[in-house]
Amino acid sequence: MDSLTQTPYWPFLVLLFGIISVILGISKFRFHPFIAMMVSAVVVGLISAPFEGMEGNHLINAIELPMVEFGSITGKIAWVIALAAIIGTAMMESGAAVKIVNTLTSVFGEKNGAIALLLSGFILSIPVFFDTVFFLLIPVIIAYASKTGKNYILYILAAGGAAAIAHSTIPPTPGPLVVAEVMNIDLGTTILAGIGIGILPAIVSYYVAHKINSKIEIPIRVPHPEMNSGSNGPSLTASVLPIVVPIVLISLTSILQVANIRIPDWVSFLGNKNIAMSIGTVLAITTWVQQKQMNKEELWKGIGKPLEIAGIIILITGAGGAFGAMIKHSGIGDAIEMATAGFHIHYVLLAWLISAAIKTAQGSSTVALITTSGIMYAIVGNGADLPYHPVYILLSIGFGGIFVSWMNDSGFWVVAKMSGMSEKEALKTFTVTLAIASLVGVAELIVLSYILPLK
């Protein structure tokens, strides 16, 4: 066995076995993703060759190292994810999210309702999780479709497609946040690049939605819910500040670096992701308290629920980070470098292929992003030797994570059931829209990596 594990191609078998272990654990045996990925991380350690630089019993190291890596990744992302969950809940409960949606719909009007919904989905999915965003927008979608008597599918796909794109490419949502941490990519750069590069796929998804809407007619099959007008809610300024302020603060450092301007210490401090998100959380909570007239006991009780949700997400993302780290420790980076010495595959495309394959097989975009980030970091490291910025690889992983959303994806069921579509209808509409947006995204990244390398 020792001679087998020392062969140069053994890490490929470790990688394959690890991915199969995660996919079977989640999809076949219905393990909780946290359990599936932690067990798979240990399994990868057990079948890997002895780790370089580590002494002692390999079996014990194979159990202890995943726990250390789990603690490392959770220490980097736990606070931000917890705060993002609080911001999302506060915006929903205070009426801030509704205010943003209603403002956009009033600005764009009934004729351009799909554009308003697309922008709403894209903006709100930056701090709020995809499922929650769709829950918020479906009453608006139904109200629009009921009023116009048409374009129901257009509205669903415009909102859902944009929300999915932002959810998989722009922190502080867990997937892209962890990928940025694992690959040591500046968070401000990630946010700015995610927003900028996500525009084209979002526009394409909008036109795809128009095309599908012209060919497929699906009636409204769910009850018409009441939609709060938001007239008594917070101001637009108070509503958007919890999103805008953290993004501006985190991105400011990156903008100054690009402009080759000295970064003051206070800018670095406020731009730290933990501080910036804390400020955004205070703003969101302040609006929440003012709108609901909450006392301290009611406030902390309200904050408890999103923290419980965040705890599960932190466990899953931490376990995914541990699994990806163990893949890296298996030696897969050196093995891939040796195997591809005679030919070259664009790493942006490779990252997309791996992420898309894992997403399609097991359903979770977050699991696909986290797993792929560990594999790609093992291959490219911090990206110093790449001819383009590693943020292109990060975003490619994100776009791979929305490819083929089907029956093993919880987001697929949220869209299908909340909008009253059958599985077949959802596959022909939502799945197709995300698949095309994913392909456009990776194609855009490959082109930009040549003409705008950002190095």
Side-chain angles (χ1 to χ4, degrees), residues 187-408:
L187 198 60
T189 300
T190 303
I191 292 173
L192 291 174
I195 293 173
I197 292 176
I199 292 174
L200 177 60
I203 292 173
V204 170
S205 70
Y206 173 77
Y207 284 103
V208 170
H210 262 289
K211 193 73 173 178
I212 293 174
N213 185 67
S214 67
K215 293 186 176 182
I216 301 175
E217 184 175 347
I218 298 176
I220 301 173
R221 304 185 183 113
V222 293
H224 190 320
E226 292 295 325
M227 182 64 187
N228 185 348
S229 65
S231 57
N232 297 321
S235 67
L236 180 61
T237 300
S239 298
V240 301
L241 281 179
I243 301 175
V244 173
V245 169
I247 290 177
V248 170
L249 291 176
I250 293 172
S251 304
L252 185 57
T253 301
S254 302
I255 293 171
L256 293 178
Q257 285 177 338
V258 172
N260 200 25
I261 299 174
R262 180 185 173 276
I263 303 172
D265 290 341
W266 66 270
V267 172
S268 297
F269 175 76
L270 294 177
N272 177 273
K273 65 180 185 295
N274 299 299
I275 299 299
M277 287 296 293
S278 297
I279 295 172
T281 304
V282 170
L283 293 170
I285 289 176
T286 300
T287 302
W288 188 12
V289 170
Q290 290 174 346
Q291 290 299 309
K292 296 295 185 179
Q293 298 296 306
M294 302 166 71
N295 58 37
K296 292 180 181 179
E297 183 178 349
E298 291 171 333
L299 173 62
W300 289 114
K301 184 178 180 180
I303 288 176
K305 185 175 181 180
L307 288 180
E308 291 174 4
I309 297 172
I312 298 296
I313 296 170
I314 291 166
L315 286 175
I316 294 172
T317 51
F323 174 74
M326 294 308 295
I327 293 292
K328 181 185 72 172
H329 288 303
S330 73
I332 188 64
D334 293 337
I336 291 177
E337 184 177 354
M338 179 198 67
T340 58
F343 64 95
H344 176 71
I345 180 171
H346 201 297
Y347 285 140
V348 170
L349 177 60
L350 177 63
W352 182 88
L353 288 170
I354 295 173
S355 181
I358 297 175
K359 158 68 176 180
T360 304
Q362 53 78 45
S364 170
S365 295
T366 301
V367 170
L369 266 63
I370 297 170
T371 303
T372 307
S373 67
I375 296 170
M376 292 308 300
Y377 184 71
I379 298 172
V380 303
N382 61 9
D385 296 329
L386 292 173
Y388 45 83
H389 199 287
V391 75
Y392 286 122
I393 292 178
L394 182 154
L395 294 176
S396 182
I397 294 171
F399 282 114
I402 63 172
F403 189 70
V404 188
S405 173
W406 63 304
M407 276 81 85
N408 60 359

Side-chain angles (χ1 to χ4, degrees), residues 16-335:
L16 179 62
F17 195 86
I19 293 174
I20 291 174
S21 176
V22 170
I23 292 171
L24 289 181
I26 295 173
S27 302
K28 175 71 174 177
F29 300 110
R30 303 298 180 186
F31 290 173
H32 190 281
F34 168 69
I35 300 296
M37 286 190 289
M38 285 305 296
V39 169
S40 297
V42 172
V43 169
V44 166
L46 291 172
I47 64 177
S48 296
F51 306 119
E52 186 177 348
M54 293 191 69
E55 300 178 353
N57 189 318
H58 175 65
L59 297 180
I60 294 177
N61 290 338
I63 296 173
E64 292 291 335
L65 189 55
M67 309 305 163
V68 172
E69 296 290 0
F70 171 78
S72 175
I73 193 66
T74 52
K76 295 176 181 178
I77 52 88
W79 180 247
V80 175
I81 290 178
L83 294 183
I86 295 173
I87 290 174
T89 297
M91 290 181 64
M92 294 286 289
E93 294 290 334
S94 68
V98 172
K99 182 67 175 183
I100 294 172
V101 173
N102 286 347
T103 299
L104 286 170
T105 53
S106 64
V107 168
F108 285 93
E110 184 178 304
K111 183 178 180 181
N112 297 311
I115 297 177
L117 288 165
L118 181 142
L119 289 173
S120 298
F122 193 87
I123 293 169
L124 291 175
S125 275
I126 295 174
V128 183
F129 303 133
F130 174 83
D131 294 4
T132 305
V133 170
F134 199 79
F135 288 148
L136 169 69
L137 293 180
I138 191 64
V140 186
I141 291 169
I142 295 173
Y144 255 120
S146 298
K147 190 173 183 179
T148 61
K150 57 183 179 179
N151 295 335
Y152 183 46
I153 287 299
L154 170 62
Y155 298 147
I156 291 172
L157 299 182
I165 291 168
H167 178 77
S168 291
T169 56
I170 306 173
T173 49
L177 175 65
V178 174
V179 177
E181 291 291 350
V182 169
M183 299 190 69
N184 294 322
I185 300 175
D186 176 69
L187 198 60
T189 300
T190 303
I191 292 173
L192 291 174
I195 293 173
I197 292 176
I199 292 174
L200 177 60
I203 292 173
V204 170
S205 70
Y206 173 77
Y207 284 103
V208 170
H210 262 289
K211 193 73 173 178
I212 293 174
N213 185 67
S214 67
K215 293 186 176 182
I216 301 175
E217 184 175 347
I218 298 176
I220 301 173
R221 304 185 183 113
V222 293
H224 190 320
E226 292 295 325
M227 182 64 187
N228 185 348
S229 65
S231 57
N232 297 321
S235 67
L236 180 61
T237 300
S239 298
V240 301
L241 281 179
I243 301 175
V244 173
V245 169
I247 290 177
V248 170
L249 291 176
I250 293 172
S251 304
L252 185 57
T253 301
S254 302
I255 293 171
L256 293 178
Q257 285 177 338
V258 172
N260 200 25
I261 299 174
R262 180 185 173 276
I263 303 172
D265 290 341
W266 66 270
V267 172
S268 297
F269 175 76
L270 294 177
N272 177 273
K273 65 180 185 295
N274 299 299
I275 299 299
M277 287 296 293
S278 297
I279 295 172
T281 304
V282 170
L283 293 170
I285 289 176
T286 300
T287 302
W288 188 12
V289 170
Q290 290 174 346
Q291 290 299 309
K292 296 295 185 179
Q293 298 296 306
M294 302 166 71
N295 58 37
K296 292 180 181 179
E297 183 178 349
E298 291 171 333
L299 173 62
W300 289 114
K301 184 178 180 180
I303 288 176
K305 185 175 181 180
L307 288 180
E308 291 174 4
I309 297 172
I312 298 296
I313 296 170
I314 291 166
L315 286 175
I316 294 172
T317 51
F323 174 74
M326 294 308 295
I327 293 292
K328 181 185 72 172
H329 288 303
S330 73
I332 188 64
D334 293 337

